Structures are given as structure tokens and as C-alpha cells.
């Protein structure tokens, strides 16, 4: 049986340690980060079965992290941990895509029960596939295969490939890709798009002698149906 991997984002070391120990005892794999800045990097570059997310964090708030993550992953269960009991904060979190919230102080039995509920419900989400030539993508499980050979992509590479495929036969500029895949508030260099396109080609094309992503000089990138 594969253990669920849970990310704990909590800036109080003692509480984070208690959660880590209790979840490990229940058989879950756990990882812990203590700041919002570290959390967003980990969330966007690794796969998680569930996230426990504190609202009050140094660097980026839990609500800001939630907003950014939901642009890339709509299925991953995210449970908010908060000392706040105002209805406004709870509503804001749910509106941004949180699956649930737990108000501090809490009983660990309640946390464990809610984790079980959300992990169980997430197992039964309908699957959704994208297919291009011999390339297949399961959106729900994020599994990718080409000619039935599994391909490992990072979450960012996966999101970039999915966005290109969902917009087949359109030429997408670097700025468009930055806005839709990295987020409109990304402040880095647009060359990051070229870097990740190269990563993708090295994984989904070169080993199979294929050409999936086409470069449109001076504009951007496109995936086109073979018949066009």
C-alpha cells in the first residue's frame, strides 16, 4: 500500500513537530516547511496528496499561497490551519479553494479524521485525459506516458505541457505562458519559458524521436495537430 504524502506548512516549530509525529504514527509520509516563501517553491515543484496550511506565515500568507497553488492544481486537498475564528477569514479561504479549515487550538483526532475524509474523497475524482499522437496525460493522477512508457515531469513542466495541449493550434507567446503557467505576478525573466520548453523536449520528444512542441520564431511556441 502506497502511503499518502502530506505537506505541513506551519511556522510554529512545536505544533509542526506534533503534527509531524502524529501523522507519521498514523502511517503517513510527512514533510514540513516553516515559511510561506519556502512553501510555494515546494508546492509547485513536488507532488503532494494533501496539504495542511497555516494562514499566518512569514514571507507569504497562507491565503496567498492558496491563491497561487490553485492556479496550477485544483484537485489537491488543502486544509487551512488558523488561530483566527472570524467568519471572514474562513470564507476567504474557502472562496480561494481551500477544501476545509481547522481552527486552533484543535484536537489531533479531529485533524486526523478530516485528513482521512479528504484523502478518501480525492481518490474518487473523475479522471480526465489529454491525448496527442502516442502521448497520453491523466490530469487527475498527473501520469504521463508516450508509447506506453512512463515519463516523469516536475509539476511546472506538467502544467506547461497541459496548457500547450489545451491550446493546440494556437501560437502562445512567452508572456502568455508566463501569465497562465507561472502566474501573472511572476517577476522573473521570460527566458524561463525557453528553459522549460527545453526540459520538456528532452523528456517527451528526444527519447522517442518526436517533435511535439514547435517554435514560432519571434513569437513563442505551439503544439499543432499533425493534419494541419
Amino acid at each position: 500500500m502506497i502511503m499518502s504524502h502530506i505537506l505541513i506548512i506551519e511556522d510554529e516549530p512545536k505544533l509542526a513537530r506534533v503534527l509531524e509525529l502524529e501523522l507519521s504514527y498514523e502511517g503517513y509520509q510527512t514533510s514540513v516547511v516553516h515559511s510561506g516563501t519556502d512553501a510555494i517553491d515546494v508546492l509547485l515543484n513536488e507532488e503532494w496528496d494533501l496539504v495542511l496550511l497555516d494562514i499566518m506565515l512569514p514571507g507569504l500568507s497562507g491565503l496567498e499561497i492558496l491563491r497561487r497553488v490553485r492556479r496550477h492544481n485544483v484537485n489537491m486537498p488543502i486544509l487551512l490551519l488558523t488561530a483566527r475564528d472570524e467568519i471572514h477569514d474562513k470564507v476567504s479561504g474557502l472562496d480561494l479553494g481551500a477544501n476545509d479549515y481547522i481552527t486552533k487550538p484543535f484536537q489531533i483526532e479531529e485533524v486526523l479524521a478530516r485528513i482521512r475524509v479528504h484523502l478518501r474523497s480525492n481518490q474518487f475524482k473523475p479522471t480526465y485525459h489529454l491525448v496527442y499522437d502516442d502521448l497520453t496525460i491523466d490530469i487527475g493522477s498527473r501520469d504521463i506516458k508516450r508509447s506506453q512508457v512512463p515519463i516523469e515531469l516536475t509539476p511546472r513542466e506538467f502544467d506547461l505541457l497541459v496548457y500547450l495541449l489545451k491550446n493546440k493550434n494556437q501560437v502562445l507567446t512567452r508572456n502568455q505562458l508566463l501569465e497562465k503557467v507561472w502566474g501573472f505576478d511572476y517577476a522573473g525573466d521570460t527566458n524561463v519559458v525557453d528553459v522549460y520548453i527545453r526540459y520538456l523536449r528532452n523528456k517527451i520528444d528526444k527519447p522517442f524521436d518526436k517533435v511535439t512542441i514547435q517554435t514560432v520564431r519571434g513569437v513563442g511556441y505551439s503544439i499543432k495537430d499533425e493534419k494541419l
Side-chain angles (χ1 to χ4, degrees), residues 60-73:
L60 291 174
S61 73
L63 293 181
E64 175 61 18
I65 291 170
L66 177 62
R67 183 182 69 82
R68 296 189 188 189
V69 169
R70 280 300 186 235
R71 290 202 298 260
H72 304 284
N73 191 326

Side-chain angles (χ1 to χ4, degrees), residues 6-45:
I6 296 176
L7 178 63
I8 301 167
I9 306 172
E10 169 58 62
D11 67 330
E12 296 179 36
K14 289 184 179 179
L15 178 56
R17 183 57 176 162
V18 168
L19 288 168
E20 183 181 21
L21 290 173
E22 292 286 351
L23 292 176
S24 297
Y25 180 78
E26 293 294 321
Y28 299 112
Q29 289 183 307
T30 60
S31 296
V32 179
V33 293
H34 298 290
S35 76
T37 306
D38 292 336
I40 196 67
D41 183 61
V42 171
L43 280 166
L44 294 179
N45 289 285

Side-chain angles (χ1 to χ4, degrees), residues 12-223:
E12 296 179 36
K14 289 184 179 179
L15 178 56
R17 183 57 176 162
V18 168
L19 288 168
E20 183 181 21
L21 290 173
E22 292 286 351
L23 292 176
S24 297
Y25 180 78
E26 293 294 321
Y28 299 112
Q29 289 183 307
T30 60
S31 296
V32 179
V33 293
H34 298 290
S35 76
T37 306
D38 292 336
I40 196 67
D41 183 61
V42 171
L43 280 166
L44 294 179
N45 289 285
E46 297 182 41
E47 297 288 348
W48 307 96
D49 295 301
L50 184 140
V51 177
L52 294 176
L53 174 62
D54 186 24
I55 285 184
M56 299 296 292
L57 292 167
L60 291 174
S61 73
L63 293 181
E64 175 61 18
I65 291 170
L66 177 62
R67 183 182 69 82
R68 296 189 188 189
V69 169
R70 280 300 186 235
R71 290 202 298 260
H72 304 284
N73 191 326
V74 297
N75 291 326
M76 178 175 61
I78 299 178
L79 281 60
L80 294 179
L81 302 176
T82 176
R84 303 177 180 182
D85 57 5
E86 292 88 350
I87 190 66
H88 172 75
D89 298 308
K90 296 174 183 178
V91 171
S92 295
L94 294 172
D95 284 344
L96 286 170
N99 297 85
D100 205 346
Y101 63 86
I102 303 170
T103 304
K104 302 175 187 177
F106 48 73
Q107 296 294 320
I108 192 63
E109 290 80 7
E110 178 187 4
V111 177
L112 294 173
R114 295 196 185 202
I115 287 173
R116 288 193 296 269
V117 167
H118 289 288
L119 285 176
R120 188 163 57 243
S121 64
N122 205 50
Q123 291 176 351
F124 297 101
K125 290 187 180 296
T127 59
Y128 168 40
H129 291 82
L130 288 174
V131 179
Y132 178 83
D133 189 24
D134 58 349
L135 182 68
T136 61
I137 302 175
D138 186 320
I139 300 296
S141 66
R142 299 174 79 86
D143 289 333
I144 301 173
K145 292 181 180 179
R146 173 145 245 170
S147 299
Q148 298 303 311
V149 178
I151 299 173
E152 293 290 333
L153 296 183
T154 67
R156 188 76 76 184
E157 293 165 353
F158 181 91
D159 293 340
L160 178 58
L161 177 59
V162 167
Y163 188 75
L164 286 164
L165 280 171
K166 285 184 175 179
N167 293 274
K168 276 191 311 180
N169 306 317
Q170 298 183 47
V171 179
L172 301 170
T173 67
R174 291 171 179 81
N175 285 332
Q176 282 178 299
L177 292 169
L178 279 175
E179 178 180 339
K180 298 299 183 182
V181 178
W182 276 260
F184 69 88
D185 51 357
Y186 175 78
D189 196 317
T190 58
N191 285 338
V192 72
V193 175
D194 302 322
V195 171
Y196 273 80
I197 291 291
R198 185 169 69 250
Y199 291 162
L200 276 178
R201 285 171 169 163
N202 286 337
K203 291 182 178 182
I204 69 170
D205 282 349
K206 286 188 177 180
F208 304 92
D209 194 25
K210 299 279 187 176
V211 178
T212 302
I213 304 171
Q214 300 182 22
T215 301
V216 181
R217 292 188 179 277
V219 184
Y221 298 98
S222 179
I223 294 178

